[in-house]
Amino acid sequence: MGLSNWLQRQNRPPVLLKLRSSSGLIVMTCSFACFTDTFLYGVIVPVMPFSLQSRTGLDQDRVQYWISLSLAMYGVSLLVFSPVWGYIADRYQNRKIPMLVGLVALLASTAILCLSRNIATLMVGRALQGISAGLTWTVGLALAMDSVDEKDAGKACGWVGVGASIGILLAPLLGGVVFAHGGYYAVFALCFGLLGVDIFLRLAIIEVKAAKRWLTDTTTMPPSDIESKPATPEILTDDDISKSMPSLESSKMPTQPSVTPWGTIINLLRKPRFIAALCGTIVHSTLMTSFDSTLPLLTKDTFGWDSIGGGLIFLPLIMPSFLSPLVGAVCDKYGPKWPATFGFFFATPFLACLRFVTKDTIAHKVLLCCLLTCIGVAIACIFSPLMAEVNWAIETNKEESGIVPVAQAYGLYNVAYSGGSMIGPIMAGLIRDEAGWGTVGWSLAILTFVSAFPQMIWTGGNLKVKFMKESESSA
């Protein structure tokens, strides 16, 4: 009797099933997960120039080197582990459990960074942080794409982009302010508080394909039957459950995969649209992480600002990120080609003009803030179009092989992002040490200008094909 009651309870719909399995809550959870991940990555950026000297005894002239190297260590871990997590997620289809595993790794990495007093533990903490980020981003983006219609992919990516952008740009701001007023451990108290909210959200959501086990039963049963039998739900067998599973899973992963993991990756890398999205992602990540490793030191050396100023200078970059959902909606309607192309071209002159910020005057401080605001607008135009393009570019894979390897595609997206995370801090840090801040600006300007052309040619579809169609229609 006890076993029968337990089985009946297991087959009852979870509390607030429709809310917990709604696309809105799932996308919000994925967005918050990316926010937490990027926040924990960047929150100690303005703290490190001060804490490295006091906690590890480093000389001042070695601080820039180890800051850049620790940021690059995060990118290396993200690069190595993202494809692994993508393959596992596509093979086993469960998205929630890997998200929870990634959260455990993020908790461990935060604890290690909090307690570190030497360079070795700092590097271990950053490496573990990159491993958890690879899992969170790969599986989280796949979960978000599983939960929305294809026509809403751009908008969903926009909201994820808001979370990620706010995290990576707001973290230095809050990190600097909290460090100045509360000290080193107060910064990590803030981190653990965010992790508590993240744990609640990740435990609360129910995947769409899992929720349909109950939603299918209740929606197909007449209302009178539902009301008359509230306490005696039908106990489903394994065969019944497998029959009631949604068609979404079968469309994403066939029962007899015909392509190996390496074969899937090779097929994806043969698509010009996909390659263009990855190349744009590398440049986007390089741009963002270049500021992480150079802006706090620029404000310290040029303006004499402390950690609060080193954090506040990221505020002009933060505000335009709220445009990401709007940009995503534009991409859903008109495609990602022109928003992404515009973003790269628009960033170029403002990056080049960063070289004019050289003096400790009000005019130069205002100039820096204005330039960073315009660069933030460009970043908002780049982020969500490229993230959504990864999903749109692989849809042709369904026609070719019947497989839509969403998680593996976003695993490669993370590889590209991590490549930029390695290039950005090292490149910007070395250039600043050897040639000065001005050279950092125009070097990034050249990079964004060149990157605009692949987006214009391939992103959202081949530009040459569109010109051919127009010429044929005019003839």
Side-chain angles (χ1 to χ4, degrees):
M1 184 69 177
L3 178 61
S4 175
N5 291 336
W6 181 82
L7 289 173
Q8 289 181 358
R9 287 195 300 270
Q10 293 302 305
N11 284 280
R12 289 176 182 172
V15 177
L16 300 175
L17 174 63
K18 289 186 178 180
L19 173 64
R20 294 169 63 187
S21 61
S22 64
S23 60
L25 182 62
I26 292 175
V27 171
M28 186 188 77
T29 300
C30 295
S31 178
F32 191 84
C34 292
F35 164 77
T36 303
D37 182 82
T38 53
F39 185 91
L40 298 186
Y41 160 82
V43 72
I44 62 173
V45 167
V47 177
M48 288 178 70
F50 306 93
S51 64
L52 277 179
Q53 288 184 274
S54 62
R55 293 178 66 85
T56 66
L58 275 179
D59 295 332
Q60 174 64 32
D61 59 353
R62 300 294 292 169
V63 170
Q64 175 71 78
Y65 172 81
W66 284 110
I67 288 177
S68 299
L69 198 60
S70 68
L71 295 176
M73 180 62 71
Y74 172 93
V76 171
S77 301
L78 190 63
L79 174 71
V80 172
F81 283 91
S82 290
V84 178
W85 301 139
Y87 170 70
I88 293 174
D90 271 338
R91 181 174 178 83
Y92 296 103
Q93 289 295 300
N94 188 296
R95 313 292 196 201
K96 184 175 180 178
I97 292 178
M99 289 280 284
L100 295 175
V101 173
L103 191 55
V104 172
L106 192 57
L107 275 166
S109 68
T110 305
I112 292 173
L113 289 172
C114 177
L115 300 174
S116 66
R117 284 190 171 271
N118 54 63
I119 294 298
T121 52
L122 173 66
M123 293 301 167
V124 171
R126 280 301 199 186
L128 188 57
Q129 201 173 53
I131 293 172
S132 69
L135 188 52
T136 299
W137 277 80
T138 299
V139 181
L141 289 173
L143 176 61
M145 293 301 101
D146 287 347
S147 306
V148 299
D149 294 332
E150 183 183 345
K151 62 182 178 63
D152 295 322
K155 192 182 300 181
C157 288
W159 285 111
V160 174
V162 167
S165 297
I166 292 176
I168 203 169
L169 299 175
L170 185 63
L173 167 63
L174 291 182
V177 173
V178 173
F179 177 72
H181 288 88
Y184 181 81
Y185 289 107
V187 174
F188 284 93
L190 174 64
C191 295
F192 286 114
L194 279 176
L195 284 169
V197 178
D198 199 6
I199 289 170
F200 172 78
L201 288 174
R202 296 198 202 190
L203 289 174
I205 60 170
I206 299 174
E207 292 185 64
V208 172
K209 58 178 174 283
K212 284 191 176 180
R213 166 187 173 183
W214 294 283
L215 294 176
T216 301
D217 292 340
T218 57
T219 54
T220 56
M221 186 183 299
S224 59
D225 291 343
I226 296 175
E227 294 175 0
S228 62
K229 301 178 182 179
T232 57
E234 179 185 357
I235 299 177
L236 301 177
T237 66
D238 291 341
D239 292 338
D240 295 330
I241 294 173
S242 62
K243 291 177 181 178
S244 65
M245 292 298 284
S247 58
L248 176 63
E249 180 175 351
S250 60
S251 66
K252 296 287 183 183
M253 180 64 66
T255 56
Q256 297 180 345
S258 58
V259 184
T260 64
W262 284 110
T264 300
I265 291 174
I266 291 172
N267 287 339
L268 291 174
L269 295 179
R270 288 175 178 170
K271 302 178 185 300
R273 287 182 62 177
F274 190 73
I275 291 294
L278 296 187
C279 291
T281 300
I282 292 174
V283 176
H284 166 250
S285 177
T286 299
L287 180 62
M288 297 185 72
T289 53
S290 293
F291 288 124
D292 284 342
S293 66
T294 55
L295 267 183
L297 288 172
L298 170 74
T299 58
K300 180 184 177 185
D301 296 342
T302 304
F303 303 145
W305 291 354
D306 57 10
S307 61
I308 295 180
L312 287 172
I313 195 59
F314 286 89
L315 188 60
L317 280 168
I318 296 170
M319 302 309 295
S321 65
F322 288 98
L323 296 172
S324 292
L326 177 61
V327 175
V330 171
C331 293
D332 287 332
K333 189 171 183 179
Y334 300 106
K337 180 189 294 292
W338 298 116
T341 303
F342 169 80
F344 281 111
F345 277 132
F346 187 72
T348 300
F350 302 106
L351 287 168
C353 289
L354 287 173
R355 64 192 304 271
F356 299 119
V357 179
T358 57
K359 298 178 182 179
D360 185 14
T361 64
I362 295 295
H364 281 239
K365 293 172 184 176
V366 171
L367 174 63
L368 178 61
C369 291
C370 291
L371 292 174
L372 291 177
T373 300
C374 294
I375 294 169
V377 172
I379 290 173
C381 293
I382 293 170
F383 199 178
S384 51
L386 294 183
M387 190 185 295
E389 174 67 358
V390 170
N391 184 64
W392 288 325
I394 64 172
E395 283 301 318
T396 56
N397 223 67
K398 183 189 295 186
E399 302 173 0
E400 297 171 0
S401 62
I403 301 174
V404 184
V406 180
Q408 289 184 77
Y410 279 109
L412 293 176
Y413 171 85
N414 283 334
V415 168
Y417 194 91
S418 63
S421 298
M422 289 187 294
I423 295 170
I426 293 178
M427 181 190 77
L430 292 177
I431 291 176
R432 182 179 179 275
D433 282 344
E434 297 297 328
W437 165 252
T439 308
V440 174
W442 65 254
S443 298
L444 293 173
I446 293 174
L447 195 60
T448 55
F449 180 77
V450 172
S451 301
F453 292 97
Q455 309 309 314
M456 184 170 58
I457 295 171
W458 288 299
T459 296
N462 196 311
L463 183 65
K464 185 177 180 180
V465 172
K466 291 186 177 182
F467 283 147
M468 289 174 63
K469 289 182 178 179
E470 290 176 2
S471 62
E472 289 173 1
S473 60
S474 60

